[in-house]
Amino acid sequence: MTATACARCRELEDEELEARGTGDQSRAADCRVLRRRHEEAGHPPAPPES
């Protein structure tokens, strides 16, 4: 991850690391895919939380 990563990328990376730390490889893989899709979409802002 670079210093210029957006907040959503950092959030997904943190979630991936947490999932790996608990052994949840499925969730870690999901986070990697979501981050890659987010980067490919040009780093749109995260949707508002409800």
Side-chain angles (χ1 to χ4, degrees):
M1 204 44 35
T2 65
T4 59
C6 74
R8 181 67 178 148
C9 289
R10 286 189 303 271
E11 179 182 303
L12 288 168
E13 182 180 35
D14 290 346
E15 192 171 337
E16 177 187 350
L17 292 172
E18 182 179 324
R20 275 200 261 157
T22 62
D24 189 349
Q25 296 304 316
S26 177
R27 183 65 189 146
D30 288 347
C31 291
R32 282 191 302 276
V33 169
L34 289 170
R35 194 171 74 223
R36 183 171 47 242
R37 288 181 183 168
H38 177 71
E39 290 169 351
E40 289 171 354
H43 299 276
E49 293 185 24
S50 32

